[in-house]
C-alpha cells in the first residue's frame, strides 16, 4: 500500500508520515485572532488543515486536533478598549461568527478550541520553566526570550539568524530588549489594558506563548503535526519551537505543514492590511453558494501553491459542484452499504471505479494532492457518463460508481446526494400527515403541490402514503408560478 507522505517544512522534503502513537494523530493548527471576521485567505488555510484531517481519518487514524482562538492580542485590546468592553464581551461576536463560517463551509470541527484568556496560568508556568532553564530575562516589567540562548533558532524558516532583523510584529514599545530579535513572553501592563496578576507581574502574555502552552497541554510535549499558513513560519512557529523545546528539552513537532497564500486577482497576497480581502459573508451576499466557496478554496490549487482568487474561480467551482450533483442523480437512488468497496468494476469500459478510487487515494497520499485527485475523478465521470448514455451501465456498475463518488465526497463534502432529496420528501410527507390529522387540508394540499413541483407524486393507500418520482411538470403557461 502506498504510504501517506507529507511535505515537512523542517526538512524541506516529503516524508512518510508515521505518528508517535500507532493509530492516533495529535495535531495542532493555529487558529484565528478573533478581532474581526476571518477572511477567506484564513479559510483557505483552515480548509487545507481540514483536508489533512479528513485524509488522516480516511486512512483510519484517530485524530486529536487542537485549534486555538487568539483572544488576547494588541488589536483586540485596542478595539475592546475603544468600545469600553472587556476582552470577552468584544471577542464573543467574532468567536460565534467564526463557528458559523466553519459550519457554512462544512469544515469539520477540531476536538478542542482552547482560548488564550483561559490558559494564562499554563502560559505563566511555561515561562517559569524557560526562566529556570536560562532562556529569559526581564526588562521594564516584561519577560523576553533570549534567542542567543537557543542555537537552533531559525531552523524551520531556514534562516541565518546572525543577520536577522527585527520581525514585523515587534512591538515598538519594547525598548528594553537586549537584542532586537528577542521576543516578548510576558508584557508588562500598560495603562488602560486588561491584565492578569501573576507571579511574573501584572500584565498579559505575548502572542507566541499561547500556542506552545496550549498545544502541549492538550497534546503532550511532542506533537505529530503542526500546521498553519506560510506567513506563520517566521517568527511565530520559530518562536513556538524555541519556547517549547527551551522548556522541555524534547522535540516539539515531528511534521510541520504550511499552506501557501490566497492571492487576489492581481497576484497580491490577500490580507487585512491591504484591505484586498473578502469574508465568507461577502461572498454569500454576492450570491455564491457555500459549496462553491468550499470547493474553490479546497481544490483550486495544491495547498503548497499560491491560489489566485477570482470570480472565474468561483464560477468554475460552482459548475464543478453542479456536475458532481448531476452525476449523483444520474447514478440513481441505489444506496450501496456504507464502506463497501466498489464491486464489479472489471466489465466497465473506460476507467473502472476501483481503479479511479486507487488513483484518487494515491494522489491524496502524495502530499494531499487534491487537484490531481479531482482530475482523476472528472476523467472518470466523463467516461462513465458516456457508458450511462449508451445504456450499458449495469446496476452493479452504477453502485460501484456511486461508492466511488461517496468515497470522494468524504473528502470534498460538496455533493448533494439524491437521498438528501429523499429525506426532504419524507419530512414533507410527515408534515402533510400532521396537517391532515388536524384537518388542515389547505396546508396538506400545499405540500402535495410542493412535492409535485419537485417531481414527486403521492399516493395515499390504506398502509400509508407512498411516493414515486414522476417527470417534472412543465412550466405553467400563465407564468409566474408560486
Ligand atoms: Zn500559533
Amino acid at each position: 500500500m502506498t504510504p501517506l507522505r507529507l511535505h515537512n517544512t523542517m526538512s524541506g522534503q516529503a516524508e512518510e508520515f508515521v505518528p508517535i502513537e500507532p493509530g492516533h494523530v495529535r495535531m495542532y493548527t493555529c487558529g484565528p485572532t478573533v478581532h474581526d471576521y476571518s477572511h477567506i485567505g484564513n479559510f483557505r488555510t483552515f480548509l487545507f488543515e481540514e483536508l489533512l484531517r479528513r485524509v488522516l481519518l480516511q486512512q483510519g487514524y484517530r485524530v486529536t486536533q487542537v485549534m486555538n482562538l487568539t483572544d488576547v492580542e494588541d488589536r483586540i485590546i485596542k478595539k475592546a478598549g475603544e468600545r469600553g468592553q472587556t476582552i470577552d464581551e468584544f471577542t464573543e461576536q467574532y468567536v460565534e461568527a467564526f463557528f458559523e463560517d466553519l459550519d457554512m463551509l462544512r469544515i469539520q470541527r477540531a476536538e478542542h478550541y482552547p482560548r488564550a484568556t483561559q490558559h494564562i496560568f499554563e502560559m505563566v508556568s511555561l515561562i517559569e520553566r524557560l526562566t529556570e532553564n536560562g532562556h529569559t530575562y526581564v526588562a521594564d516589567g516584561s519577560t523576553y526570550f533570549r534567542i542567543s540562548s537557543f542555537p537552533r533558532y531559525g531552523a524551520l524558516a531556514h534562516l541565518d539568524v546572525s543577520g536577522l532583523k527585527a520581525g514585523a510584529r515587534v512591538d515598538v514599545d519594547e525598548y528594553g530588549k537586549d537584542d532586537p530579535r528577542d521576543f516578548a513572553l510576558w508584557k508588562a501592563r500598560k495603562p488602560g489594558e486588561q491584565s492578569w496578576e501573576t507571579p511574573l507581574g501584572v500584565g498579559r502574555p505575548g502572542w507566541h506563548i499561547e500556542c506552545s502552552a496550549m498545544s502541549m497541554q492538550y497534546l503532550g510535549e511532542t506533537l505529530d503535526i503542526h500546521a498553519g499558513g506560510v506567513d506563520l513560519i517566521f517568527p511565530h512557529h520559530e518562536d513556538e519551537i524555541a519556547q517549547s523545546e527551551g522548556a522541555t528539552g524534547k522535540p516539539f513537532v515531528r511534521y510541520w505543514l504550511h499552506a501557501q497564500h490566497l492571492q487576489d486577482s492581481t497576484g497580491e497576497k490577500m490580507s487585512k492590511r491591504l484591505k484586498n480581502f473578502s469574508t465568507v459573508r461577502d461572498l454569500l451576499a454576492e450570491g455564491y453558494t457555500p459549496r462553491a466557496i468550499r470547493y474553490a478554496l479546497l481544490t483550486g490549487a495544491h495547498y503548497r501553491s499560491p491560489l489566485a482568487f477570482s470570480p472565474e474561480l468561483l464560477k468554475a467551482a460552482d459548475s464543478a459542484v453542479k456536475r458532481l450533483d448531476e452525476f449523483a442523480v444520474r447514478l440513481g437512488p441505489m444506496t450501496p452499504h456504507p464502506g463497501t468497496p466498489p464491486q464489479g468494476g472489471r466489465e466497465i469500459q473506460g476507467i473502472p471505479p476501483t481503479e479511479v478510487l486507487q488513483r484518487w487515494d494515491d494522489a491524496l497520499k502524495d502530499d494531499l494532492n487534491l487537484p490531481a485527485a479531482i482530475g482523476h475523478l472528472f476523467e472518470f465521470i466523463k467516461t462513465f457518463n458516456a457508458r450511462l448514455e449508451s445504456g450499458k451501465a449495469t446496476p452493479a456498475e452504477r453502485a460501484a460508481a456511486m461508492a466511488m463518488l461517496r468515497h470522494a465526497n468524504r473528502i470534498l463534502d460538496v455533493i448533494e446526494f439524491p437521498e438528501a432529496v429523499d429525506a426532504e420528501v419524507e419530512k414533507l410527507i410527515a408534515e402533510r400527515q400532521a396537517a391532515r390529522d388536524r384537518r388542515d387540508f389547505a396546508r396538506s394540499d400545499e405540500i402535495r403541490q410542493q412535492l409535485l413541483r419537485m417531481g414527486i407524486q403521492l399516493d395515499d393507500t390504506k398502509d400509508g402514503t407512498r411516493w414515486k418520482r414522476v417527470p417534472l411538470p412543465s412550466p405553467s403557461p400563465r407564468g409566474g408560478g408560486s
Side-chain angles (χ1 to χ4, degrees), residues 239-291:
D239 291 353
E240 281 189 43
I241 294 171
Q243 295 164 154
S244 303
E245 299 189 358
T248 67
K250 294 177 190 165
F252 174 43
V253 168
R254 301 178 66 232
Y255 301 86
W256 283 97
L257 271 69
H258 292 98
Q260 263 292 350
H261 295 305
L262 187 65
Q263 301 172 335
D264 67 13
S265 46
T266 69
E268 197 72 62
K269 178 198 164 191
M270 220 179 249
S271 73
K272 285 260 153 65
R273 191 174 56 81
L274 294 171
K275 296 196 170 62
N276 60 343
F277 65 89
S278 310
T279 63
V280 172
R281 284 133 209 272
D282 294 336
L283 296 177
L284 295 176
E286 287 171 37
Y288 296 107
T289 64
R291 294 195 291 152

Side-chain angles (χ1 to χ4, degrees), residues 54-290:
R54 287 187 189 239
V55 168
L56 290 166
L57 289 170
Q58 203 164 52
Q59 293 296 303
Y61 290 112
R62 176 162 81 86
V63 174
T64 305
Q65 181 188 356
V66 176
M67 178 177 276
N68 64 308
L69 301 177
T70 298
D71 62 354
V72 51
E73 183 258 4
D74 294 345
R75 287 166 294 181
I76 291 175
I77 289 170
K78 186 162 167 280
K79 287 188 189 178
E82 283 165 5
R83 298 181 195 190
Q85 290 176 311
T86 64
I87 285 177
D88 279 353
E89 285 164 355
F90 172 73
T91 56
E92 197 48 43
Q93 57 188 320
Y94 296 115
V95 171
E96 258 172 48
F98 171 66
F99 285 115
E100 281 168 19
D101 289 350
L102 284 189
D103 289 349
M104 191 75 81
L105 296 180
R106 300 186 184 182
I107 297 178
Q108 282 185 357
R109 295 281 176 101
E111 280 62 32
H112 304 280
Y113 289 97
R115 296 186 193 197
T117 51
Q118 292 167 4
H119 295 77
I120 300 292
F121 283 87
E122 286 83 349
M123 298 183 213
V124 169
S125 63
L126 187 59
I127 296 168
E128 287 173 333
R129 283 173 81 182
L130 287 169
T131 299
E132 282 162 29
N133 292 351
H135 292 294
T136 70
Y137 61 92
V138 175
D140 296 337
S142 296
T143 306
Y144 295 96
F145 189 98
R146 189 187 299 282
I147 284 184
S148 61
S149 73
F150 190 77
R152 292 191 299 286
Y153 193 87
L156 179 69
H158 306 286
L159 286 173
D160 174 8
V161 288
S162 56
L164 200 62
K165 293 280 192 320
R169 278 186 89 112
V170 167
D171 188 333
V172 287
D173 295 331
E174 295 174 357
Y175 298 118
K177 293 197 291 187
D178 290 357
D179 182 326
R181 303 172 307 163
D182 294 344
F183 59 92
L185 297 162
W186 185 260
K187 296 182 176 187
R189 179 177 186 269
K190 286 183 217 158
E193 281 186 0
Q194 190 168 332
S195 56
W196 286 264
E197 234 182 283
T198 75
L200 300 172
V202 180
R204 62 185 175 92
W207 172 44
H208 311 295
I209 194 73
E210 69 179 77
C211 286
S212 287
M214 297 195 286
S215 60
M216 293 199 290
Q217 184 187 340
Y218 289 86
L219 299 170
E221 291 181 341
T222 302
L223 328 179
D224 291 308
I225 298 176
H226 193 315
V230 283
D231 51 327
L232 294 184
I233 296 174
F234 179 80
H236 183 55
H237 289 164
E238 205 67 70
D239 291 353
E240 281 189 43
I241 294 171
Q243 295 164 154
S244 303
E245 299 189 358
T248 67
K250 294 177 190 165
F252 174 43
V253 168
R254 301 178 66 232
Y255 301 86
W256 283 97
L257 271 69
H258 292 98
Q260 263 292 350
H261 295 305
L262 187 65
Q263 301 172 335
D264 67 13
S265 46
T266 69
E268 197 72 62
K269 178 198 164 191
M270 220 179 249
S271 73
K272 285 260 153 65
R273 191 174 56 81
L274 294 171
K275 296 196 170 62
N276 60 343
F277 65 89
S278 310
T279 63
V280 172
R281 284 133 209 272
D282 294 336
L283 296 177
L284 295 176
E286 287 171 37
Y288 296 107
T289 64

Side-chain angles (χ1 to χ4, degrees), residues 291-312:
R291 294 195 291 152
I293 302 168
R294 176 180 169 88
Y295 187 94
L297 292 173
L298 199 53
T299 71
H302 184 264
Y303 77 89
R304 288 196 296 115
S305 301
L307 171 61
F309 202 72
S310 64
E312 291 70 36

